């Protein structure tokens, strides 16, 4: 059977690793591994998919993934990748967020019969005796080494609070706790977590005399330089109430042509032969490759039924825009009074949130990227009036693929 480490390297998951040869040997036998997910919001977003997919690959390869919902560490706040201190959250807010994240992770991992574990680090961190913690754990940490960590160095320029300074110790303690209770021998995470993960491996070496491993993933950005999971409209969430399946599908099908092969490797389970084949196509065929990416990614997150509905809706809109658009297309309602006297197109696009600002809407329309009911808008101030409403509906389009249905209702 293929070693999962080779799979990780082939698919682009590996940025840094403690020792490639030793980790590969470790992964030749069943191994428990973990990744932490701090519940700072009610949902994870697309930016969390690389860690989630890595755990899913581990499970498929016969290993035991542990998803740590970090309700305890969230009480402190991770300074990694942040230029200022995170907002401190209440225990109630954190616990509510943690429940939502558990549901999302369950779509990717099989937790039946303890094939995977989901644990909450609040269970062992919240009741720690501070003095004992400092004596037993804190004495193994060098302040000089901690300050050399990239996550701390960046924050020293803007201010690092004492509570955040403790985060590395708590994450290291998590690794040691999981090693002791679940024989966990690999921690994975984003590359900004490298220092924290190494601190945990070092703590286990000092306390237990055992060698454990660390692996980090690269920061994923699109070819246009945008951080994965971010759009002009905000984050792409895994919660269908925050980002409906159709919008999730559209996010993937709208990816840059240059990213298709890379994203198929990272965000689907398609065999690499198929990934390379789809990544090599050109012309009109690239649309089909992007459709495969969108369908597979949506099916993993929301199920095949929702993915099929989204694909069907997208195909219908791509082929012919009409007022009878499928229900899965994003829809807003508009008061008839808003267009009774006519509304300039650029204001309608801003009002409907297809564009963030009126200036953005004017630019879009001036560049030929604004459409109503399939017809290009010729002037940014072209008036949209009741005569444009078909069966109580307008279909707006921004660019080639972003659609919105506007219902005009009393």
């Amino acid at each position: 059977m293929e070693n999962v480490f080779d799979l990780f390297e082939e698919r682009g998951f590996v940025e840094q690793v403690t020792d490639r040869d030793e980790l590969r040997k470790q992964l030749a036998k069943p191994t428990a591994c973990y990744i932490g997910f701090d519940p700072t919001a009610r949902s994870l977003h697309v930016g969390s998919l690389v860690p989630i997919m890595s755990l899913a690959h581990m499970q498929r390869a016969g290993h035991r993934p542990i998803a740590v919902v970090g309700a305890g560490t969230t009480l402190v706040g991770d300074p990694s990748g942040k230029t200022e201190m995170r907002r401190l959250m209440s225990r109630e807010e954190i616990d509510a967020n943690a429940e939502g994240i558990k549901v999302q992770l369950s779509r990717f991992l099989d937790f039946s019969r303890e094939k995977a574990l989901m644990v909450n680090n609040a269970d062992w961190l919240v009741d720690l005796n501070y003095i004992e913690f400092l004596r037993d754990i804190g004495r193994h940490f060098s302040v000089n080494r901690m300050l050399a960590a990239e996550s701390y160095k960046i924050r020293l320029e803007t201010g690092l609070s004492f509570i955040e300074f403790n985060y590395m110790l708590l994450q290291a303690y998590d690794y040691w706790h999981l090693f002791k209770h679940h024989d966990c021998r690999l921690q994975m995470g984003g590359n900004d977590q490298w220092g924290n993960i190494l601190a945990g491996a070092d703590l286990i070496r000092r306390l237990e005399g055992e060698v454990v491993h660390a692996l980090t993933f690269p920061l994923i950005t699109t070819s246009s330089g945008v951080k994965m999971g971010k759009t002009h409209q905000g984050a792409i969430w895994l919660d269908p109430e925050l980002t409906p399946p159709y919008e999730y599908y559209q996010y993937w099908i709208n990816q840059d042509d240059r990213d298709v092969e890379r994203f198929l490797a990272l965000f689907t389970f398609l065999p690499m032969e198929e990934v390379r084949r789809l990544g090599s196509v050109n012309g009109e065929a690239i649309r089909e490759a992007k459709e495969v990416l969108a369908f597979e990614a949506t099916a993993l997150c929301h199920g095949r039924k929702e993915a099929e509905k989204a694909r069907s809706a997208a195909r219908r809109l791509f082929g012919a825009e009409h007022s009878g658009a499928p229900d899965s297309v994003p829809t807003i309602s508009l008061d008839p009074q808003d267009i009774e006297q006519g509304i300039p197109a650029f204001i309608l696009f801003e009002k409907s949130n297809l564009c963030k600002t009126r200036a953005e809407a004017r630019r879009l329309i001036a560049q030929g990227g604004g459409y109503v009911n399939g017809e290009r808008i010729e002037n940014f101030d072209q008036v949209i009036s009741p005569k444009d409403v078909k069966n109580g509906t307008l279909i707006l389009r921004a660019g080639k693929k972003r659609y919105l249905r506007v219902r005009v209702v009393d």
Side-chain angles (χ1 to χ4, degrees):
M1 188 174 187
E2 180 184 18
N3 191 298
V4 72
F5 183 76
D6 296 333
L7 178 147
F8 281 158
E9 290 212 300
E10 184 178 29
R11 288 184 172 264
F13 281 87
V14 180
E15 179 72 13
Q16 295 191 81
V17 61
T18 40
D19 186 314
R20 275 176 162 76
D21 292 337
E22 289 302 315
L23 178 55
R24 198 175 183 284
K25 288 179 186 176
Q26 176 66 50
L27 294 176
K29 56 190 175 183
T31 299
C33 66
Y34 102 89
I35 296 176
F37 301 89
D38 280 356
T40 54
R42 61 178 275 197
S43 172
L44 298 172
H45 55 72
V46 165
S48 300
L49 276 181
V50 167
I52 294 171
M53 291 295 291
S54 74
L55 290 179
H57 279 297
M58 287 288 289
Q59 186 171 61
R60 289 161 70 98
H63 303 291
R64 191 191 204 190
I66 304 172
V68 176
V69 178
T73 38
T74 302
L75 289 166
V76 172
D78 182 4
S80 303
K82 298 295 179 183
T83 56
E84 59 185 30
M85 184 174 173
R86 295 175 187 262
R87 177 179 68 87
L88 290 180
M89 302 167 65
S90 69
R91 180 69 186 270
E92 293 73 23
E93 186 179 3
I94 291 168
D95 288 345
N97 290 345
E99 287 304 311
I101 289 173
K102 286 180 181 179
V103 171
Q104 290 153 33
L105 292 175
S106 296
R107 300 192 197 118
F108 295 84
L109 298 171
D110 179 5
F111 290 97
S112 66
R113 299 188 299 278
E114 297 194 336
K115 294 175 186 174
L117 297 179
M118 189 177 298
V119 295
N120 188 331
N121 67 9
D123 293 341
W124 60 81
L125 291 181
V126 169
D127 294 329
L128 279 176
N129 182 299
Y130 186 60
I131 298 301
E132 287 183 8
F133 179 75
L134 289 179
R135 286 173 59 88
D136 296 341
I137 305 301
R139 66 189 180 89
H140 295 292
F141 287 78
S142 160
V143 171
N144 289 344
R145 288 183 60 188
M146 291 174 69
L147 291 177
E150 196 64 30
S151 57
Y152 286 160
K153 281 198 297 185
I154 294 172
R155 286 297 306 280
L156 286 176
E157 299 174 6
T158 57
L160 178 71
S161 72
F162 180 72
I163 190 171
E164 292 174 293
F165 190 64
N166 283 270
Y167 191 92
M168 181 181 288
L169 278 71
L170 296 177
Q171 186 168 329
Y173 188 89
D174 283 349
Y175 199 174
W176 174 75
H177 178 92
L178 294 172
F179 172 82
K180 289 288 288 182
H181 292 273
H182 302 290
D183 194 29
C184 179
R185 292 179 178 269
L186 170 63
Q187 183 183 172
M188 302 186 290
N191 201 45
D192 59 347
Q193 294 295 314
W194 180 245
N196 292 340
I197 298 174
L198 286 183
D202 186 60
L203 180 64
I204 292 167
R205 180 185 62 80
R206 291 171 179 271
L207 293 177
E208 308 296 335
E210 294 272 1
V211 174
V212 294
H213 304 279
L215 184 153
T216 59
F217 316 118
L219 173 66
I220 306 298
T221 57
T222 66
S223 291
S224 58
V226 178
K227 189 175 180 180
M228 196 68 196
K230 301 293 184 181
T231 71
H232 75 289
Q233 292 177 309
I236 302 299
W237 302 99
L238 305 189
D239 186 332
E241 292 184 7
L242 297 177
T243 300
Y246 176 81
E247 293 182 23
Y248 191 82
Y249 182 95
Q250 285 294 305
Y251 170 77
W252 292 104
I253 209 166
N254 288 336
Q255 292 301 318
D256 191 297
D257 295 357
R258 297 168 291 177
D259 291 324
V260 170
E261 182 173 347
R262 183 164 58 114
F263 289 175
L264 281 166
L266 287 169
F267 303 117
T268 80
F269 292 122
L270 292 176
M272 283 304 294
E273 301 79 41
E274 180 66 2
V275 167
R276 283 188 281 266
R277 184 190 71 78
L278 291 168
S280 66
V281 300
N282 297 299
E284 286 299 316
I286 195 67
R287 170 78 187 182
E288 297 175 17
K290 291 164 85 167
E291 188 176 78
V292 171
L293 169 63
F295 180 84
E296 294 293 333
T298 305
L300 282 172
C301 187
H302 298 298
R304 297 190 73 82
K305 183 177 179 181
E306 290 296 336
E308 287 166 359
K309 286 169 59 179
R311 180 171 62 185
S312 175
R315 283 175 173 175
R316 288 171 63 186
L317 281 177
F318 187 74
E321 297 162 32
H322 52 81
S323 58
D327 289 337
S328 53
V329 174
T331 302
I332 66 166
S333 296
L334 204 61
D335 192 305
Q337 293 183 354
D338 289 334
I339 66 165
E340 190 172 312
Q341 304 301 319
I343 181 172
F346 76 100
I347 295 178
L348 178 59
F349 271 61
E350 182 263 342
K351 192 178 185 70
S352 64
N353 288 322
L354 270 175
C355 295
K356 278 188 175 181
T357 65
R358 294 183 181 183
E360 180 184 323
R362 286 196 295 269
R363 285 194 300 272
L364 173 78
I365 295 169
Q367 293 166 3
Y371 294 79
V372 174
N373 298 332
E375 298 292 329
R376 177 177 288 172
I377 303 168
E378 298 301 328
N379 301 298
F380 72 85
D381 57 355
Q382 179 178 319
V383 174
I384 309 302
S385 66
K387 67 180 176 58
D388 297 300
V389 179
K390 311 296 183 185
N391 299 321
T393 302
L394 293 165
I395 297 295
L396 306 183
R397 172 154 67 93
K400 291 183 178 180
K401 299 158 190 168
R402 286 194 297 117
Y403 292 87
L404 182 72
R405 176 167 51 188
V406 180
R407 283 201 181 107
V408 182
V409 295
D410 292 316

